[in-house]
Amino acid sequence: MVLAARIAAHELETAIETEWQYDDYNIPYKHVVWPTTGSFLPYNARLILHLRPRFQNAIETLAEQTLPDAVIIYGHSGLISNPIRKFFQRREIPVVMDITEYHPTTIRRMLMTQSFDQWLCMKRLLPKLDGVIAISRWLEEFARRHKRPVLRIPALGEGLEEPLSSSAESEKFTMTYLGSMIERDLPHSLLDGVLAAASRGLELDLVIVGRLEATSAGRAARARIKGDPRLCKCVTVTGWLTDEEMRSRLRESDCFVLLRDDEIQTRACFPTRLPDYLQSAKPTILSAVGDVNLYFRHRQNAWLLKPGSGPGELADALIYLHEHPHEASEIGRAGFHTCLEELGYQQHGSRLSEFLTKLVV
């Protein structure tokens, strides 16, 4: 059973608690509506004021009907998670946290209370958990240092037996990026690489699928695109898309891209959008950072760039893949099989089931 937060679209929703629904896998889920009131406050302050008590109420209501055998908390917020941990552990129910990120401390994150919240999670909460699910080796080792039972599970794909079917070929070489162009995705390096490839004669379209207004780096990237006629000519920003619309964009793509620097937060995370790229059986251009090196080899199942590579290296990759479509197809097919064999949810679901069963016993 899944309890998940959802931001209210308007004030009328703030008092409405949704009924249980079922997803595509017949798993029951319920939304805990998070009101937009007090949006002038820092993000984490709103977590404390609004979302934390609503989660507590939802859990207490659920416990009156049924108690689970085990609990998984997804995220890295000590403020939200600690009351949940206490509630279930008092009832001798094991609590596990699925941790997917770790951010370096910055002045901005300190002012927004995010660094304090992360410290509460990693230093105070984590040692009290019954287990940890870590998305990367970096987080796995962190949990082991705190002597917690830990299971490493990377980002998961749907386990498609066949790649997404391709659409008709376009006259232009199309590259797709999924996300909000946050700072760690090096948005300006990406845009500089597109310009460098275009200046060398490549007819290129960059499709950005995501809500750029969600982050300051995304807003800056959008402003740059609007202010540069060269980028306006070859960059399309779609905004939010439905699942089917996104699959259509993936089918229309010739390659995908995800750039990173080598730093703590990129070593700690693992790109959750990567399986979406791989399941299209098109080549993916990746920075060789962190656990990417566990699963990928250059020009075998991905095109790997050194961390923090400049626009020239990205332009070289785009032009080569465009001029060598057979090799690009081979790289894409190998990437699809890597996703199926290494990132499929079936085998990792079995491992998770065993992990939780041992904790319950």
Side-chain angles (χ1 to χ4, degrees):
M1 306 174 77
V2 178
L3 284 172
R6 180 170 64 86
I7 297 176
H10 51 76
E11 291 302 317
L12 292 178
E13 287 186 298
T14 60
I16 298 175
E17 189 175 274
T18 64
E19 298 300 322
W20 287 97
Q21 303 174 62
Y22 291 84
D23 69 5
D24 294 340
Y25 300 95
N26 207 35
I27 295 172
Y29 70 93
K30 189 174 187 176
H31 282 124
V32 178
V33 180
W34 179 14
T36 56
T37 53
S39 58
F40 59 89
L41 293 171
Y43 175 85
N44 272 53
R46 284 186 284 144
L47 289 182
I48 301 169
L49 291 174
H50 296 301
L51 196 53
R52 183 164 120 152
R54 285 172 178 264
F55 258 119
Q56 288 178 268
N57 291 336
I59 287 167
E60 290 170 4
T61 301
L62 174 63
E64 292 173 357
Q65 304 166 12
T66 182
L67 281 174
D69 297 303
V71 173
I72 300 175
I73 302 174
Y74 179 83
H76 55 277
S77 168
L79 293 168
I80 294 295
S81 303
N82 199 44
I84 300 173
R85 175 196 66 81
K86 289 180 179 179
F87 181 88
F88 286 110
Q89 285 184 337
R90 285 171 184 159
R91 291 157 177 79
E92 299 185 347
I93 297 170
V95 177
V96 173
M97 177 170 273
D98 184 358
I99 303 179
T100 60
E101 289 186 302
Y102 185 89
H103 297 279
T105 300
T106 64
I107 293 176
R108 181 178 180 275
R109 289 184 60 81
M110 289 178 66
L111 293 174
M112 300 289 284
T113 73
Q114 290 169 314
S115 291
F116 173 70
D117 194 12
Q118 180 176 259
W119 176 83
L120 282 177
C121 176
M122 304 299 284
K123 298 296 186 180
R124 307 291 291 180
L125 172 63
L126 186 144
K128 299 175 182 177
L129 295 168
D130 298 291
V132 173
I133 303 167
I135 200 171
S136 65
R137 287 179 301 176
W138 193 94
L139 287 169
E140 179 184 24
E141 292 165 3
F142 189 100
R144 291 194 190 284
R145 288 198 298 271
H146 287 81
K147 298 180 172 57
R148 293 298 85 198
V150 58
L151 175 68
R152 178 169 57 82
I153 296 182
L156 300 180
E158 295 180 42
L160 300 180
E161 295 184 2
E162 292 294 331
L164 294 173
S165 57
S166 298
S167 299
E169 293 186 6
S170 169
E171 294 181 2
K172 290 187 177 182
F173 188 77
T174 302
M175 176 174 62
T176 297
Y177 162 91
L178 303 179
S180 54
M181 300 203 84
I182 56 179
E183 191 172 348
R184 71 180 176 212
D185 288 355
L186 307 181
H188 293 290
S189 295
L190 173 58
L191 296 177
D192 288 339
V194 168
L195 290 176
S199 70
R200 291 164 57 180
L202 179 62
E203 290 287 322
L204 171 69
D205 271 339
L206 168 62
V207 178
I208 300 172
V209 179
R211 296 174 61 248
L212 300 194
E213 64 273 15
T215 67
S216 57
R219 291 190 292 272
R222 180 188 284 276
R224 180 182 172 188
I225 294 167
K226 286 185 176 180
D228 189 329
R230 298 171 301 168
L231 290 173
C232 287
K233 185 179 179 181
C234 59
V235 177
T236 301
V237 180
T238 68
W240 182 87
L241 297 178
T242 65
D243 289 345
E244 187 51 46
E245 288 170 335
M246 188 180 75
R247 290 191 187 96
S248 177
R249 289 289 184 176
L250 296 176
R251 287 192 292 266
E252 294 167 358
S253 298
D254 296 299
C255 77
F256 306 97
V257 62
L258 184 61
L259 305 180
R260 296 280 172 86
D261 272 327
D262 187 10
E263 54 190 8
I264 288 177
Q265 64 174 327
T266 54
R267 292 195 295 271
C269 67
F270 186 81
T272 54
R273 75 204 84 167
L274 191 50
D276 293 315
Y277 293 162
L278 299 173
Q279 288 173 163
S280 299
K282 307 291 179 61
T284 300
I285 301 171
L286 292 169
S287 297
V289 174
D291 286 7
V292 164
N293 296 297
L294 284 179
Y295 304 103
F296 299 96
R297 297 292 179 267
H298 180 49
R299 290 177 64 176
Q300 293 182 25
N301 55 357
W303 188 285
L304 298 185
L305 299 176
K306 293 180 180 179
S309 292
E313 288 84 352
L314 176 57
D316 289 341
L318 293 170
I319 291 170
Y320 186 92
L321 292 172
H322 172 66
E323 294 178 347
H324 298 82
H326 178 72
E327 183 174 348
S329 178
E330 291 295 313
I331 293 172
R333 292 288 303 187
F336 170 79
H337 288 293
T338 296
C339 184
L340 185 64
E341 296 164 5
E342 302 286 352
L343 307 179
Y345 71 85
Q346 294 96 333
Q347 60 266 43
H348 290 293
S350 298
R351 295 174 61 227
L352 177 58
S353 178
E354 293 173 6
F355 181 70
L356 293 175
T357 300
K358 288 179 181 178
L359 294 180
V360 170
V361 172

